Amino acid sequence: RYESAISNFMKAVELDTKSYLAYYELGYILEMNGKNDSAIVMLTNSLKIKENIAQRIPGMHKFQKIRKKHRRKQKKGRI
């Protein structure tokens, strides 16, 4: 459904590895497609580039909940 958007944002990330917004958008689209593991990687990269991004971008709190859930699963050995 979002294949072209994913492809375009992958290119954007390749062209500018410092673009926190490209990582964020790619992560958001991946999450919408149920690709949570990949989304977590991209959204984490976004946070690494711009640490205070979570307060400024709508929906970033949702990512933080997904990441916490993912970490709990990892600890329990489900992933």
Side-chain angles (χ1 to χ4, degrees):
R1 180 174 168 188
Y2 296 98
E3 291 83 17
S4 73
I6 290 171
S7 176
N8 289 335
F9 279 111
M10 289 292 283
K11 288 176 188 172
V13 165
E14 289 172 13
L15 291 172
D16 185 0
T17 59
K18 301 288 184 189
S19 174
Y20 71 93
L21 197 52
Y23 280 110
Y24 169 78
E25 294 293 344
L26 178 56
Y28 183 74
I29 292 167
L30 289 167
E31 190 269 328
M32 289 176 59
N33 278 280
K35 298 177 181 179
N36 290 336
D37 292 340
S38 296
I40 288 169
V41 171
M42 294 302 144
L43 292 167
T44 299
N45 288 340
S46 180
L47 286 171
K48 285 179 184 176
I49 295 167
K50 197 139 185 135
E51 291 182 24
N52 61 352
I53 194 174
Q55 290 102 20
R56 291 193 276 152
I57 294 184
M60 198 61 154
H61 67 283
K62 183 179 179 185
F63 156 66
Q64 291 171 327
K65 288 180 183 180
I66 292 168
R67 188 167 68 168
K68 285 179 186 178
K69 184 178 177 181
H70 182 76
R71 285 183 179 161
R72 281 194 299 265
K73 286 182 180 180
Q74 281 180 324
K75 286 181 181 179
K76 291 180 181 180
R78 294 183 191 165
I79 295 177

